[in-house]
Amino acid sequence: MRHRKARIDQRGRGLISFPRVTIGSLPDNILLHIFDYCQMLSLYRSLRWWHALVHVCRRWRYIVLESSLRLKLQLVCNENTSMKKTLDVWPHSFPIVVGHWLPLGGANLISTFEHWPHDRISEISLNLTSTLLKRLNKVMKKPYPVLTRLCLYSSDSAPVLHDTFLGGSAPRLKYLYLGGIPFPALPKFLSFCHDLVDIRLDKITNTGYFSPEAMATALSVLTELKYIALDFESPASFPDPTNRLPSSFQRISLPALAYLEFRGSSEYFEDLVARIDTPVMTSVDTWFLNPSHLDFDIPHFLQFIGRTELPRSFEEARVYFSYESIQILFGYRITPEKKEYPITLSIEISYHGFDWQVTCLAQICGKISPLLSNVQRLLIATSWPPRDNLMFLDWKDHVDNPKWLEILQAFSASQHMHISPKLGEIIASALHELTGERARDALPVLRHLYLPSPSASTQQAIEPFISSRQHSNYPITVHLTEMD
């Protein structure tokens, strides 16, 4: 007898019985919706999620295999996969995902690579030694017409990828990651990959160098590109001085590009962004490596920002000092609920030595003054780990008060200023020199100064500045807590 579940009708007219529904009684379309949900969960777990389903019963196996396109079924192959068994058992319509991300092994996978059907491989993710990369160069000369994702990484001194790699193009490629693998022919390769959405080039070596002009030309055909990251391993990523930006040139448009990350020389970045328009850009993250001199200039950077959706000025900024660099972050907005929003603009510059960092920061603030003109909330802090505290104590003996005043005055619109405890005494020493009218004119709208856990010497140094502001009817409230 079929079991029934009963409940009382809400209007009190007795019992209503419902048959108990088993999963076997569900129609195919409902099961398919359930499998859709399983596929969605698999994005965060495993590409082999469907293997368990096809072994439940013949009906489930039929539904899953007949809906392979909808469920995005893929064959995942690694070092231990039997190529013959895989190709014989599963339908030929299934795309193949090849992956090996361990630092060792992979030789067997590479040796069989040339025998896999290249017209079915949709994803490749490999961690390669230099020896394996040489072998890969030889076996991956055929075109891969359905390849959508390519990730190659090497921690060795990797050999150069040949221009015959992947037959010179991958027309359906959407995601590209190369880490520590030189590919000088990359700009030419990109020009044939019109569907690219995401490009991440990490640890670009000198042997893999390509010019800003060549990169801009290659990007010009990538109308779907949304994200690009260029990370040069060496600070010597300078454009050829004889081939610098001409006086007249035509900029390219990247209508979908929203995120740009760059790590390298400021000269390279300047040359690149001068050549491109990105109307929907919402995030720029830059890290300039060891400028050869302090007097470097970034006029094209500001003009580039003006051609994007980024604000022309920002209400909030954070300045961080670390052992190896200084960083200015914009768009790190704090709500009353203390929720933090994504950074929209980041400028980081590599410099060792606190005194050099202060000098560099003063200069860079002068170069980007339009971005600072509306900053109302400012944080100045350190981000080095505890092991670097001893180094910081040495730096405290090399404080340049005029440079600090130059930095603080660049944020003349600041109403709230938060100084981290490690920098409190240093900045208080600089503010100590501002008395009388200078105390009023240097930071005219400053109303709240946050000095968490100040030392006695910090409080003594800051007192003349606070007193001068009080007497000039421009009082400042000192908070001994974190900024809200």
Side-chain angles (χ1 to χ4, degrees):
M1 178 181 295
R2 178 175 295 179
H3 294 282
R4 295 177 180 274
K5 188 175 182 180
R7 68 175 176 84
I8 299 177
D9 183 275
Q10 293 180 351
R11 290 173 291 184
R13 293 190 293 191
L15 297 177
I16 300 176
S17 297
F18 295 102
R20 177 177 293 176
V21 178
T22 64
I23 196 166
S25 63
L26 295 177
D28 290 358
N29 65 318
I30 298 299
L31 282 175
L32 191 53
H33 281 297
I34 295 174
F35 298 160
D36 279 335
Y37 183 71
C38 294
Q39 188 272 334
M40 181 179 65
L41 291 178
S42 76
L43 296 177
Y44 309 99
R45 296 180 183 177
S46 170
L47 294 176
R48 295 186 174 93
W49 63 274
W50 55 274
H51 285 208
L53 297 182
V54 299
H55 288 92
V56 171
C57 62
R58 291 182 178 179
R59 181 184 172 213
W60 282 30
R61 182 183 181 91
Y62 176 81
I63 295 173
V64 170
L65 298 184
E66 285 297 306
S67 307
S68 60
L69 291 179
R70 170 172 170 168
L71 298 176
K72 300 177 182 178
L73 303 188
Q74 297 172 310
L75 297 178
V76 181
C77 303
N78 56 33
E79 174 85 349
N80 301 315
T81 303
S82 169
M83 180 185 67
K84 185 177 186 307
K85 181 179 179 181
T86 300
L87 298 181
D88 288 347
V89 171
W90 300 110
H92 291 179
S93 60
F94 284 18
I96 298 173
V97 175
V98 180
H100 178 79
W101 211 242
L102 298 176
L104 300 175
N108 292 337
L109 185 63
I110 301 302
S111 63
T112 61
F113 215 95
E114 59 183 330
H115 303 297
W116 288 95
H118 58 93
D119 57 345
R120 289 179 56 187
I121 296 179
S122 64
E123 298 184 19
I124 300 174
S125 297
L126 299 173
N127 187 348
L128 300 161
T129 63
S130 57
T131 301
L132 291 181
L133 187 57
K134 288 179 182 178
R135 294 173 60 182
L136 194 71
N137 250 332
K138 296 178 180 179
V139 302
M140 292 191 66
K141 295 182 179 181
K142 300 177 182 178
Y144 285 70
V146 299
L147 185 67
T148 59
R149 184 181 181 90
L150 175 64
C151 304
L152 300 178
Y153 176 82
S154 179
S155 57
D156 290 352
S157 298
V160 171
L161 278 182
H162 298 161
D163 56 5
T164 56
F165 181 67
L166 296 181
S169 70
R172 293 182 60 183
L173 192 66
K174 291 186 176 296
Y175 178 92
L176 173 64
Y177 171 83
L178 296 178
I181 297 180
F183 192 11
L186 179 69
K188 180 180 177 181
F189 175 80
L190 293 180
S191 64
F192 295 101
C193 303
H194 295 191
D195 289 347
L196 270 168
V197 174
D198 194 322
I199 300 175
R200 307 188 187 216
L201 307 177
D202 190 21
K203 297 171 60 179
I204 303 171
T205 63
N206 291 339
T207 55
Y209 177 85
F210 38 79
S211 70
E213 180 182 14
M215 176 55 70
T217 301
L219 296 178
S220 64
V221 299
L222 306 183
T223 57
E224 302 297 320
L225 187 66
K226 296 181 180 179
Y227 187 109
I228 183 170
L230 302 176
D231 182 352
F232 288 90
E233 188 176 45
S234 168
S237 56
F238 296 103
D240 184 350
T242 62
N243 193 30
R244 291 300 300 274
L245 197 66
S247 57
S248 62
F249 58 92
Q250 184 175 2
R251 284 195 297 266
I252 66 164
S253 178
L254 299 174
L257 189 63
Y259 303 94
L260 169 63
E261 291 185 20
F262 178 84
R263 183 175 184 266
S265 74
S266 59
E267 289 90 342
Y268 191 105
F269 185 78
E270 278 279 290
D271 204 325
L272 178 63
V273 298
R275 301 173 186 272
I276 60 178
D277 282 336
T278 56
V280 300
M281 179 69 68
T282 58
S283 178
V284 177
D285 187 346
T286 62
W287 187 348
F288 300 133
L289 299 178
N290 295 331
S292 57
H293 47 81
L294 279 175
D295 189 24
F296 65 98
D297 205 1
I298 49 173
H300 292 297
F301 184 18
L302 293 179
Q303 296 170 19
F304 170 72
I305 296 298
R307 301 194 301 271
T308 70
E309 286 192 349
L310 291 167
R312 303 300 180 266
S313 61
F314 297 83
E315 294 183 358
E316 300 190 16
R318 296 189 176 193
V319 177
Y320 287 104
F321 289 85
S322 72
Y323 175 68
E324 64 177 0
S325 67
I326 51 175
Q327 185 179 31
I328 308 177
L329 306 178
F330 299 95
Y332 217 99
R333 304 179 184 181
I334 307 174
T335 68
E337 297 80 15
K338 297 185 178 180
K339 294 180 179 178
E340 295 177 344
Y341 288 87
I343 299 168
T344 56
L345 177 61
S346 171
I347 303 172
E348 187 166 1
I349 304 173
S350 289
Y351 259 117
H352 290 268
F354 188 60
D355 49 349
W356 285 106
Q357 290 180 356
V358 173
T359 301
C360 180
L361 179 61
Q363 186 197 89
I364 197 68
C365 285
K367 301 293 185 181
I368 62 171
S369 57
L371 300 178
L372 311 181
S373 61
N374 194 41
V375 171
Q376 300 172 26
R377 300 175 70 88
L378 172 65
L379 177 145
I380 305 178
T382 60
S383 60
W384 50 67
R387 67 176 181 273
D388 290 331
N389 284 348
L390 293 177
M391 181 68 70
F392 167 67
L393 293 176
D394 293 337
W395 293 347
K396 289 173 65 176
D397 297 331
H398 303 280
V399 177
D400 188 339
N401 284 341
K403 288 297 180 184
W404 270 111
L405 292 178
E406 188 178 337
I407 293 168
L408 296 177
Q409 289 172 347
F411 295 92
S412 59
S414 178
Q415 301 176 24
H416 300 259
M417 185 180 297
H418 176 227
I419 310 300
S420 73
K422 291 180 181 178
L423 295 175
E425 186 175 345
I426 294 174
I427 295 180
S429 174
L431 293 175
H432 179 83
E433 299 187 5
L434 297 178
T435 57
E437 293 184 356
R438 291 186 67 201
R440 179 195 64 194
D441 297 340
L443 297 165
V445 297
L446 183 64
R447 294 294 179 265
H448 299 274
L449 182 62
Y450 299 82
L451 287 169
S453 307
S455 64
S457 58
T458 298
Q459 296 184 58
Q460 183 179 358
I462 200 73
E463 179 58 33
F465 172 70
I466 301 300
S467 178
S468 294
R469 291 293 294 253
Q470 188 73 30
H471 292 150
S472 62
N473 293 323
Y474 287 85
I476 293 177
T477 302
V478 179
H479 304 265
L480 305 183
T481 58
E482 298 288 338
M483 183 166 61
D484 295 329

PDB file of all heavy atoms in Angstrom, residues 3 25 59 116 122 131 145 184 197 200 218 224 236 282 292 330 354 363 383 385 438 443 454 466:
ATOM      1  N   HIS A   3       2.209   4.720   0.927  1.00  0.00           N
ATOM      2  CA  HIS A   3       2.089   5.542   2.133  1.00  0.00           C
ATOM      3  C   HIS A   3       1.571   6.928   1.768  1.00  0.00           C
ATOM      4  O   HIS A   3       1.853   7.455   0.710  1.00  0.00           O
ATOM      5  CB  HIS A   3       3.468   5.693   2.804  1.00  0.00           C
ATOM      6  CG  HIS A   3       3.988   4.401   3.345  1.00  0.00           C
ATOM      7  ND1 HIS A   3       3.551   3.863   4.529  1.00  0.00           N
ATOM      8  CD2 HIS A   3       4.901   3.523   2.840  1.00  0.00           C
ATOM      9  CE1 HIS A   3       4.185   2.723   4.753  1.00  0.00           C
ATOM     10  NE2 HIS A   3       5.010   2.496   3.732  1.00  0.00           N
ATOM     11  N   SER A  25       9.990   8.949  -9.012  1.00  0.00           N
ATOM     12  CA  SER A  25       8.750   9.337  -9.691  1.00  0.00           C
ATOM     13  C   SER A  25       8.833  10.707 -10.346  1.00  0.00           C
ATOM     14  O   SER A  25       7.897  11.144 -11.006  1.00  0.00           O
ATOM     15  CB  SER A  25       7.593   9.328  -8.685  1.00  0.00           C
ATOM     16  OG  SER A  25       7.800  10.299  -7.663  1.00  0.00           O
ATOM     17  N   ARG A  59      18.595   5.273 -16.189  1.00  0.00           N
ATOM     18  CA  ARG A  59      17.802   6.450 -16.542  1.00  0.00           C
ATOM     19  C   ARG A  59      18.602   7.730 -16.292  1.00  0.00           C
ATOM     20  O   ARG A  59      18.634   8.642 -17.127  1.00  0.00           O
ATOM     21  CB  ARG A  59      16.511   6.461 -15.735  1.00  0.00           C
ATOM     22  CG  ARG A  59      15.599   7.663 -16.050  1.00  0.00           C
ATOM     23  CD  ARG A  59      14.389   7.669 -15.154  1.00  0.00           C
ATOM     24  NE  ARG A  59      13.618   8.887 -15.322  1.00  0.00           N
ATOM     25  CZ  ARG A  59      12.940   9.496 -14.358  1.00  0.00           C
ATOM     26  NH1 ARG A  59      12.939   8.961 -13.144  1.00  0.00           N
ATOM     27  NH2 ARG A  59      12.271  10.593 -14.588  1.00  0.00           N
ATOM     28  N   TRP A 116      46.495  12.908 -27.894  1.00  0.00           N
ATOM     29  CA  TRP A 116      45.132  13.309 -27.547  1.00  0.00           C
ATOM     30  C   TRP A 116      44.514  14.049 -28.740  1.00  0.00           C
ATOM     31  O   TRP A 116      45.204  14.765 -29.462  1.00  0.00           O
ATOM     32  CB  TRP A 116      45.137  14.241 -26.338  1.00  0.00           C
ATOM     33  CG  TRP A 116      45.459  13.561 -25.031  1.00  0.00           C
ATOM     34  CD1 TRP A 116      46.678  13.475 -24.435  1.00  0.00           C
ATOM     35  CD2 TRP A 116      44.549  12.873 -24.179  1.00  0.00           C
ATOM     36  NE1 TRP A 116      46.601  12.783 -23.263  1.00  0.00           N
ATOM     37  CE2 TRP A 116      45.288  12.389 -23.072  1.00  0.00           C
ATOM     38  CE3 TRP A 116      43.188  12.599 -24.228  1.00  0.00           C
ATOM     39  CZ2 TRP A 116      44.730  11.670 -22.036  1.00  0.00           C
ATOM     40  CZ3 TRP A 116      42.606  11.892 -23.193  1.00  0.00           C
ATOM     41  CH2 TRP A 116      43.374  11.428 -22.120  1.00  0.00           C
ATOM     42  N   SER A 122      39.571  21.444 -24.391  1.00  0.00           N
ATOM     43  CA  SER A 122      39.003  22.770 -24.131  1.00  0.00           C
ATOM     44  C   SER A 122      39.769  23.535 -23.061  1.00  0.00           C
ATOM     45  O   SER A 122      39.717  24.768 -23.024  1.00  0.00           O
ATOM     46  CB  SER A 122      37.535  22.648 -23.702  1.00  0.00           C
ATOM     47  OG  SER A 122      37.436  21.944 -22.475  1.00  0.00           O
ATOM     48  N   THR A 131      62.453  21.319 -18.533  1.00  0.00           N
ATOM     49  CA  THR A 131      62.574  20.152 -19.415  1.00  0.00           C
ATOM     50  C   THR A 131      61.230  19.807 -20.046  1.00  0.00           C
ATOM     51  O   THR A 131      61.144  19.550 -21.261  1.00  0.00           O
ATOM     52  CB  THR A 131      63.104  18.939 -18.625  1.00  0.00           C
ATOM     53  OG1 THR A 131      64.378  19.270 -18.062  1.00  0.00           O
ATOM     54  CG2 THR A 131      63.246  17.730 -19.538  1.00  0.00           C
ATOM     55  N   PRO A 145      41.273  24.148 -31.805  1.00  0.00           N
ATOM     56  CA  PRO A 145      40.133  24.991 -32.197  1.00  0.00           C
ATOM     57  C   PRO A 145      39.087  25.218 -31.109  1.00  0.00           C
ATOM     58  O   PRO A 145      38.339  26.193 -31.191  1.00  0.00           O
ATOM     59  CB  PRO A 145      39.529  24.229 -33.387  1.00  0.00           C
ATOM     60  CG  PRO A 145      39.975  22.812 -33.202  1.00  0.00           C
ATOM     61  CD  PRO A 145      41.329  22.897 -32.576  1.00  0.00           C
ATOM     62  N   PRO A 184      57.861  35.740 -26.380  1.00  0.00           N
ATOM     63  CA  PRO A 184      58.038  37.000 -27.120  1.00  0.00           C
ATOM     64  C   PRO A 184      57.024  37.183 -28.241  1.00  0.00           C
ATOM     65  O   PRO A 184      56.696  38.316 -28.602  1.00  0.00           O
ATOM     66  CB  PRO A 184      59.460  36.889 -27.679  1.00  0.00           C
ATOM     67  CG  PRO A 184      60.143  35.857 -26.842  1.00  0.00           C
ATOM     68  CD  PRO A 184      59.078  34.907 -26.418  1.00  0.00           C
ATOM     69  N   VAL A 197      38.796  37.125 -22.825  1.00  0.00           N
ATOM     70  CA  VAL A 197      38.122  37.932 -21.806  1.00  0.00           C
ATOM     71  C   VAL A 197      39.077  38.284 -20.673  1.00  0.00           C
ATOM     72  O   VAL A 197      38.968  39.347 -20.066  1.00  0.00           O
ATOM     73  CB  VAL A 197      36.895  37.179 -21.257  1.00  0.00           C
ATOM     74  CG1 VAL A 197      36.256  37.931 -20.088  1.00  0.00           C
ATOM     75  CG2 VAL A 197      35.867  36.948 -22.352  1.00  0.00           C
ATOM     76  N   ARG A 200      46.293  37.118 -17.971  1.00  0.00           N
ATOM     77  CA  ARG A 200      47.144  37.307 -16.788  1.00  0.00           C
ATOM     78  C   ARG A 200      48.547  36.804 -17.117  1.00  0.00           C
ATOM     79  O   ARG A 200      48.750  35.609 -17.299  1.00  0.00           O
ATOM     80  CB  ARG A 200      46.557  36.573 -15.577  1.00  0.00           C
ATOM     81  CG  ARG A 200      45.109  36.960 -15.341  1.00  0.00           C
ATOM     82  CD  ARG A 200      44.544  36.423 -14.071  1.00  0.00           C
ATOM     83  NE  ARG A 200      43.111  36.693 -14.008  1.00  0.00           N
ATOM     84  CZ  ARG A 200      42.438  36.986 -12.908  1.00  0.00           C
ATOM     85  NH1 ARG A 200      43.086  37.053 -11.766  1.00  0.00           N
ATOM     86  NH2 ARG A 200      41.132  37.199 -12.949  1.00  0.00           N
ATOM     87  N   ALA A 218      48.239  44.484 -30.382  1.00  0.00           N
ATOM     88  CA  ALA A 218      47.608  43.174 -30.215  1.00  0.00           C
ATOM     89  C   ALA A 218      46.273  43.279 -29.500  1.00  0.00           C
ATOM     90  O   ALA A 218      45.301  42.598 -29.844  1.00  0.00           O
ATOM     91  CB  ALA A 218      48.550  42.243 -29.447  1.00  0.00           C
ATOM     92  N   GLU A 224      36.290  41.953 -26.423  1.00  0.00           N
ATOM     93  CA  GLU A 224      35.600  41.333 -25.291  1.00  0.00           C
ATOM     94  C   GLU A 224      36.454  41.337 -24.026  1.00  0.00           C
ATOM     95  O   GLU A 224      35.994  40.893 -22.966  1.00  0.00           O
ATOM     96  CB  GLU A 224      35.229  39.876 -25.629  1.00  0.00           C
ATOM     97  CG  GLU A 224      34.359  39.718 -26.864  1.00  0.00           C
ATOM     98  CD  GLU A 224      33.009  40.395 -26.686  1.00  0.00           C
ATOM     99  OE1 GLU A 224      32.450  40.295 -25.572  1.00  0.00           O
ATOM    100  OE2 GLU A 224      32.533  41.016 -27.654  1.00  0.00           O
ATOM    101  N   ALA A 236      63.820  46.191 -15.126  1.00  0.00           N
ATOM    102  CA  ALA A 236      64.413  46.634 -16.394  1.00  0.00           C
ATOM    103  C   ALA A 236      63.438  46.525 -17.552  1.00  0.00           C
ATOM    104  O   ALA A 236      63.834  46.374 -18.700  1.00  0.00           O
ATOM    105  CB  ALA A 236      65.664  45.802 -16.691  1.00  0.00           C
ATOM    106  N   THR A 282      37.002  50.346 -14.222  1.00  0.00           N
ATOM    107  CA  THR A 282      36.553  50.614 -12.851  1.00  0.00           C
ATOM    108  C   THR A 282      37.621  50.334 -11.805  1.00  0.00           C
ATOM    109  O   THR A 282      37.432  50.659 -10.634  1.00  0.00           O
ATOM    110  CB  THR A 282      35.310  49.764 -12.517  1.00  0.00           C
ATOM    111  OG1 THR A 282      35.618  48.369 -12.695  1.00  0.00           O
ATOM    112  CG2 THR A 282      34.141  50.132 -13.410  1.00  0.00           C
ATOM    113  N   SER A 292      64.530  54.372 -11.623  1.00  0.00           N
ATOM    114  CA  SER A 292      65.971  54.614 -11.706  1.00  0.00           C
ATOM    115  C   SER A 292      66.356  55.964 -11.102  1.00  0.00           C
ATOM    116  O   SER A 292      67.520  56.210 -10.832  1.00  0.00           O
ATOM    117  CB  SER A 292      66.419  54.547 -13.167  1.00  0.00           C
ATOM    118  OG  SER A 292      65.691  55.495 -13.942  1.00  0.00           O
ATOM    119  N   PHE A 330      43.048  54.334  -3.291  1.00  0.00           N
ATOM    120  CA  PHE A 330      41.860  55.181  -3.391  1.00  0.00           C
ATOM    121  C   PHE A 330      40.628  54.286  -3.558  1.00  0.00           C
ATOM    122  O   PHE A 330      40.704  53.227  -4.177  1.00  0.00           O
ATOM    123  CB  PHE A 330      41.957  56.111  -4.602  1.00  0.00           C
ATOM    124  CG  PHE A 330      43.121  57.056  -4.561  1.00  0.00           C
ATOM    125  CD1 PHE A 330      44.311  56.737  -5.206  1.00  0.00           C
ATOM    126  CD2 PHE A 330      43.034  58.255  -3.893  1.00  0.00           C
ATOM    127  CE1 PHE A 330      45.387  57.599  -5.190  1.00  0.00           C
ATOM    128  CE2 PHE A 330      44.120  59.128  -3.865  1.00  0.00           C
ATOM    129  CZ  PHE A 330      45.298  58.797  -4.512  1.00  0.00           C
ATOM    130  N   PHE A 354      63.240  54.127   4.673  1.00  0.00           N
ATOM    131  CA  PHE A 354      62.112  54.984   5.033  1.00  0.00           C
ATOM    132  C   PHE A 354      62.307  56.409   4.553  1.00  0.00           C
ATOM    133  O   PHE A 354      61.367  57.052   4.094  1.00  0.00           O
ATOM    134  CB  PHE A 354      61.938  54.934   6.555  1.00  0.00           C
ATOM    135  CG  PHE A 354      60.694  55.611   7.041  1.00  0.00           C
ATOM    136  CD1 PHE A 354      59.444  55.183   6.630  1.00  0.00           C
ATOM    137  CD2 PHE A 354      60.768  56.683   7.917  1.00  0.00           C
ATOM    138  CE1 PHE A 354      58.293  55.806   7.087  1.00  0.00           C
ATOM    139  CE2 PHE A 354      59.630  57.309   8.371  1.00  0.00           C
ATOM    140  CZ  PHE A 354      58.389  56.870   7.956  1.00  0.00           C
ATOM    141  N   GLN A 363      57.043  63.485  -3.649  1.00  0.00           N
ATOM    142  CA  GLN A 363      57.071  63.774  -5.081  1.00  0.00           C
ATOM    143  C   GLN A 363      55.824  63.255  -5.793  1.00  0.00           C
ATOM    144  O   GLN A 363      55.212  63.951  -6.597  1.00  0.00           O
ATOM    145  CB  GLN A 363      58.317  63.186  -5.724  1.00  0.00           C
ATOM    146  CG  GLN A 363      58.446  63.598  -7.180  1.00  0.00           C
ATOM    147  CD  GLN A 363      59.412  62.699  -7.919  1.00  0.00           C
ATOM    148  OE1 GLN A 363      59.025  61.685  -8.464  1.00  0.00           O
ATOM    149  NE2 GLN A 363      60.663  63.086  -7.942  1.00  0.00           N
ATOM    150  N   SER A 383      52.417  48.738   6.999  1.00  0.00           N
ATOM    151  CA  SER A 383      51.884  47.407   6.708  1.00  0.00           C
ATOM    152  C   SER A 383      52.956  46.336   6.820  1.00  0.00           C
ATOM    153  O   SER A 383      52.785  45.243   6.324  1.00  0.00           O
ATOM    154  CB  SER A 383      51.274  47.369   5.295  1.00  0.00           C
ATOM    155  OG  SER A 383      52.255  47.674   4.321  1.00  0.00           O
ATOM    156  N   PRO A 385      55.338  43.480   8.599  1.00  0.00           N
ATOM    157  CA  PRO A 385      55.141  42.502   9.670  1.00  0.00           C
ATOM    158  C   PRO A 385      56.010  42.832  10.868  1.00  0.00           C
ATOM    159  O   PRO A 385      56.955  43.630  10.771  1.00  0.00           O
ATOM    160  CB  PRO A 385      55.575  41.179   9.022  1.00  0.00           C
ATOM    161  CG  PRO A 385      56.509  41.574   7.940  1.00  0.00           C
ATOM    162  CD  PRO A 385      56.019  42.896   7.436  1.00  0.00           C
ATOM    163  N   ARG A 438      50.416  79.330  10.282  1.00  0.00           N
ATOM    164  CA  ARG A 438      50.814  78.134   9.532  1.00  0.00           C
ATOM    165  C   ARG A 438      49.976  76.928   9.957  1.00  0.00           C
ATOM    166  O   ARG A 438      49.635  76.081   9.127  1.00  0.00           O
ATOM    167  CB  ARG A 438      52.303  77.837   9.753  1.00  0.00           C
ATOM    168  CG  ARG A 438      53.239  78.842   9.124  1.00  0.00           C
ATOM    169  CD  ARG A 438      54.666  78.371   9.293  1.00  0.00           C
ATOM    170  NE  ARG A 438      54.907  77.148   8.514  1.00  0.00           N
ATOM    171  CZ  ARG A 438      55.895  76.309   8.773  1.00  0.00           C
ATOM    172  NH1 ARG A 438      56.701  76.504   9.814  1.00  0.00           N
ATOM    173  NH2 ARG A 438      56.076  75.245   8.012  1.00  0.00           N
ATOM    174  N   LEU A 443      46.492  72.847   6.921  1.00  0.00           N
ATOM    175  CA  LEU A 443      45.386  71.877   6.817  1.00  0.00           C
ATOM    176  C   LEU A 443      44.110  72.600   7.239  1.00  0.00           C
ATOM    177  O   LEU A 443      43.583  72.388   8.341  1.00  0.00           O
ATOM    178  CB  LEU A 443      45.665  70.658   7.708  1.00  0.00           C
ATOM    179  CG  LEU A 443      46.904  69.831   7.317  1.00  0.00           C
ATOM    180  CD1 LEU A 443      47.294  68.898   8.454  1.00  0.00           C
ATOM    181  CD2 LEU A 443      46.631  69.036   6.044  1.00  0.00           C
ATOM    182  N   PRO A 454      48.631  56.955  21.693  1.00  0.00           N
ATOM    183  CA  PRO A 454      49.836  57.772  21.486  1.00  0.00           C
ATOM    184  C   PRO A 454      50.771  57.691  22.702  1.00  0.00           C
ATOM    185  O   PRO A 454      50.329  57.609  23.849  1.00  0.00           O
ATOM    186  CB  PRO A 454      49.275  59.181  21.314  1.00  0.00           C
ATOM    187  CG  PRO A 454      48.008  59.169  22.120  1.00  0.00           C
ATOM    188  CD  PRO A 454      47.455  57.787  21.971  1.00  0.00           C
ATOM    189  N   ILE A 466      47.897  71.585  18.113  1.00  0.00           N
ATOM    190  CA  ILE A 466      46.497  71.552  18.558  1.00  0.00           C
ATOM    191  C   ILE A 466      46.137  72.869  19.232  1.00  0.00           C
ATOM    192  O   ILE A 466      45.049  73.436  19.008  1.00  0.00           O
ATOM    193  CB  ILE A 466      46.267  70.367  19.520  1.00  0.00           C
ATOM    194  CG1 ILE A 466      46.610  69.036  18.834  1.00  0.00           C
ATOM    195  CG2 ILE A 466      44.832  70.353  20.036  1.00  0.00           C
ATOM    196  CD1 ILE A 466      45.808  68.746  17.617  1.00  0.00           C
TER     197      ILE A 466
END
